[in-house]
């Protein structure tokens, strides 16, 4: 989140608020549909950051 916020020159909460990150960590969504079901992950946030966040989750799932 920090790296994405720096790259986009926005505050970290614009990329994903804490509650959204907590739900991503708990549910580990790997599809667009699953990611959009996460609180705070609307279409615009999904468009901007969703693919990168899903990639992080997929790598995390591989190493768990």
């Amino acid at each position: 989140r920090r790296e994405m916020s720096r790259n986009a020159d926005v505050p970290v909460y614009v990329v994903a608020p804490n509650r959204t990150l907590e739900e991503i960590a708990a549910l580990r969504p790997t599809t667009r549909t699953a990611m959009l079901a996460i609180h705070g992950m609307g279409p615009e946030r999904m468009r901007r950051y969703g693919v990168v966040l899903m990639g992080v989750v997929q790598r995390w799932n591989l190493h768990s």
Side-chain angles (χ1 to χ4, degrees), residues 11-55:
V12 292
Y13 64 83
V14 170
V15 174
N18 289 344
R19 179 176 174 186
T20 301
L21 291 182
E22 289 166 0
E23 283 193 35
I24 291 170
L27 300 176
R28 297 182 182 190
T30 57
T31 66
R32 179 178 173 78
T33 301
M35 186 64 85
L36 284 168
I38 299 290
H39 175 83
M41 189 55 76
E44 184 61 22
R45 188 170 279 141
M46 180 67 198
R47 185 184 69 75
R48 289 185 180 189
Y49 310 111
V51 171
V52 175
L53 291 170
M54 283 191 303

